[in-house]
Amino acid sequence: MQDEKQDLELFDKLVGHIGEFVERDVSHLTPQSHINNSIEGMSSLKMIELLLYLEDCFGIDFEESAMDRLETMQDLEDYIRQILDASRQQA
């Protein structure tokens, strides 16, 4: 139950940050939403800018190769969670 709540909180936070970045309502996004198709105006350059923005928001660093693996919102959430969990374990 606690994990489900944390998953929902992270997803909601992620959607909120993406909405701030693109300056649009993105409340329609679901975990299955494809990032490039579901966010208006998303290009490969915009995706890089988005990842840099999310790095600042979450205090993490994306690997350069991560962009190739991030197709859906679930992929993005899982990747961020993995980095956050790893950094907590190291602390």
Side-chain angles (χ1 to χ4, degrees), residues 19-32:
E20 291 167 6
F21 176 76
V22 296
E23 298 178 338
R24 289 189 179 85
D25 177 23
V26 290
S27 60
H28 64 278
L29 294 175
T30 67
Q32 294 76 33

Side-chain angles (χ1 to χ4, degrees), residues 12-24:
D12 287 345
K13 195 181 225 184
L14 179 58
V15 170
H17 288 312
I18 291 172
E20 291 167 6
F21 176 76
V22 296
E23 298 178 338
R24 289 189 179 85

Side-chain angles (χ1 to χ4, degrees), residues 20-84:
E20 291 167 6
F21 176 76
V22 296
E23 298 178 338
R24 289 189 179 85
D25 177 23
V26 290
S27 60
H28 64 278
L29 294 175
T30 67
Q32 294 76 33
S33 296
H34 283 263
I35 298 168
N36 290 332
N37 300 337
S38 301
I39 303 171
E40 189 178 330
M42 190 57 65
S43 64
S44 55
L45 177 59
K46 267 287 201 218
M47 181 66 172
I48 292 168
E49 292 172 351
L50 173 62
L51 295 182
L52 292 172
Y53 180 76
L54 293 175
E55 282 184 342
D56 290 340
C57 293
F58 289 100
I60 60 174
D61 290 315
F62 285 95
E63 297 174 8
E64 283 185 41
S65 62
M67 201 170 109
D68 297 334
R69 300 187 308 248
L70 303 176
E71 293 182 17
T72 66
M73 290 294 294
Q74 186 67 58
D75 295 339
L76 184 55
E77 178 187 2
D78 291 345
Y79 187 81
I80 291 171
R81 178 171 316 291
Q82 180 183 355
I83 295 171
L84 291 174

